Amino acid sequence: MADNTATVAGVEVSTDHWIDGRRVPSTDRFEDLSPVDGSHLANVAAGGKAEVDLAVNAARRAFPAWAALGPEGRLPVLKAFAEGLRTRAKDLAAVETMDNGSLLAGNVHRVAPRAAQNIEFFADWALTLQGHVIESPEVLNHVRYDPAGVAALITPWNAPLMLTTWKVGPALAAGNTVVVKPPEWAPLTCSLMADIAHAAGLPAGVLNVVQGIGETAGDALVKHADVDRISFTGSTDTAKLIGQAAARSITPMSAELGGKSPFIVCADADLDAAAQTVAGQYMNAGQVCLAGTRIFVEKSIESEFLAKVREAAAHMVVGDPRDPATRVGPLITQEHFDRVAGFVDRAKAAGAEPLWGGSRANFGALYFQPTLFANVDPHSEIAQKEVFGPVLTWQTFETDDEVVQAANGTGYGLAGVLFTRNEARAMRIASQVVAGTLWVNCFFIRDLAAPFGGSRDSGIGREGGSWSFDFYADIKNISVRKGSFNQVGG
Ligand code: NAD
């Protein structure tokens, strides 16, 4: 088969760029391997400055007409786009699983439907952005959410379909055109997404996809002089580089980054539910930015709760992510496997004690055992740094002040999880933990209307609901002196 298409899980996927409504090849290609079984999936076009130029220029040309449609004019095509994602949910799910190793059942039932919802939700929300007027004694302030221009959207491999549509949805609904740079370790569902958008009638140039390596294609995109917004999800280190480029051109940037979130279990909690939720942090091999990886347990229930977590964790079956019984699939690449194993080895050497796990799982090359470390020095690497693997730490606390201080004791502030049956206690602790999202007696439930993002090293800004439009729109106030017109209309 020619390099410019690949068949993955029975689905044909283009491996070229999608620019200005057509496929564009590159002579440079990079190899995309499946973490599931190490199989070769595709040779993907590796873009650089030239392809980024083409894509940004196409997006710029398409911008005026797309912006002029207004939210109502954009609605039908965005609804058709969402419907197309829904219709091809099984294909998208199957390709995502082979490409990044995430669980097939989760991709079918949660991720692919959510991708469609991401597009539809923001298309509907955009309708509410018109006609906002603030009255003051002398003037009427007409607040407008104007389209900003060309948005550069960069996403990571752990959830490319979900995170890319999370950006594409509001960016397009706000009237911008976009250039997407998918993750090089799992680029294929973004390519399918482009086909689906095209089939839905999205005009040429409105959505462009430039495949490629972060340091070349991504770098060229964030440094492009004609980009008006940069929305990035990925690691904190990459965000610092992108931030430097954004600072040079004063381009607004949003960043959703890594985490090392606390998971606090109080003695008065529903311990069975809490234990199940702790074990759930191993899902997708812990390659989840929001995972509550630092477990803090109230001392009085430590042994009882540990027994429950041990039992729940024993059900976290490691295996092929296509098997419905599997809960923990592979790590994404050998490089990432080595990184995770390195964290684990250094933690052991520093005196942390693995209560279970701690090495490669007996399944395939990239599969790691669910691991829990006790006897953890809170200042050590394993308690401070994001591992992005199935590795949790276990600490105890005796007072709420102590656990709040410990929870806030890393440089991150993405999320947190808290289990208690005491509402006042819940709100007191939750309000003091530094985090963009704090779940109480639940995990991972996200309303698209609610703000999402991270504090400290976990991000800049919030997306979701109106917050997405605060970023993707150019907000203008037309301040009109009252009674200063003697003519209405043209
Ligand atoms: P990464 O930062 O290495 O890469 C993310 C994206 O940035 C990729 O598309 C990559 O090609 C691109 N990139 C890399 N270098 C670049 C550069 N110099 N200029 C422009 N683009 C560049 O991150 P990753 O390893 O793909 O993803 C894992 C990280 O993402 C973890 O830290 C995880 O917590 C985080 N993450 C955060 C969220 C969130 O919503 N907060 C969600 C998922 C993942």
Side-chain angles (χ1 to χ4, degrees), residues 19 21 36 63 71 111 124 126 149 163 177-178 182 196 232-233 237 242 246 268 276 449 489:
I19 299 174
V36 176
F63 172 64
V111 174
D124 283 331
L163 294 170
T177 53
V178 303
I196 293 166
F232 171 73
T233 299
D237 286 345
I242 295 177
D268 58 19
Q276 292 296 333

Side-chain angles (χ1 to χ4, degrees), residues 154-158 163 181-184 213-215 218-219 232-235 238 241-242 256-259 289 386 388 414 452:
I154 301 183
T155 49
W157 48 265
N158 68 317
L163 294 170
K181 209 301 280 171
E184 56 268 48
I213 307 300
E215 290 77 2
D219 182 70
F232 171 73
T233 299
S235 66
T238 304
L241 290 175
I242 295 177
E256 296 184 350
L257 310 176
C289 58
E386 182 186 49
F388 224 50
L414 186 57
F452 176 79

Side-chain angles (χ1 to χ4, degrees), residues 271-424:
L271 297 187
D272 292 317
Q276 292 296 333
T277 312
V278 167
Q281 309 305 302
Y282 291 128
M283 208 76 89
N284 282 339
Q287 298 165 117
V288 177
C289 58
L290 297 164
T293 50
R294 292 181 295 140
I295 317 299
F296 296 98
V297 184
E298 196 159 356
K299 186 123 187 79
S300 59
I301 52 149
E302 181 181 16
S303 54
E304 181 192 353
F305 188 60
L306 182 58
K308 288 180 187 291
V309 174
R310 187 185 292 277
E311 199 194 326
H315 290 97
M316 299 305 288
V317 179
V318 179
D320 189 314
R322 293 167 293 185
D323 181 341
T326 295
R327 293 289 171 272
V328 181
L331 295 171
I332 182 77
T333 58
Q334 186 63 50
E335 182 184 332
H336 188 57
F337 184 98
D338 294 343
R339 186 177 169 276
V340 170
F343 272 113
V344 168
D345 291 345
R346 289 190 296 279
K348 287 182 196 164
E353 178 198 350
L355 295 182
W356 53 79
S359 53
R360 186 191 301 277
N362 191 15
F363 188 78
L366 299 181
Y367 295 73
F368 205 89
Q369 293 174 334
T371 298
L372 179 68
F373 274 114
N375 201 18
V376 169
D377 173 351
H379 304 293
S380 65
E381 182 189 65
I382 199 70
Q384 289 288 322
K385 297 285 178 216
E386 182 186 49
V387 177
F388 224 50
V391 180
L392 309 178
T393 61
W394 182 273
Q395 292 166 257
T396 58
F397 68 93
E398 287 181 88
T399 68
D400 291 0
D401 286 349
E402 182 192 348
V403 78
V404 166
Q405 200 181 348
N408 291 338
T410 73
Y412 293 106
L414 186 57
V417 190
L418 168 64
F419 272 77
T420 171
R421 284 198 175 100
N422 179 330
E423 186 180 3

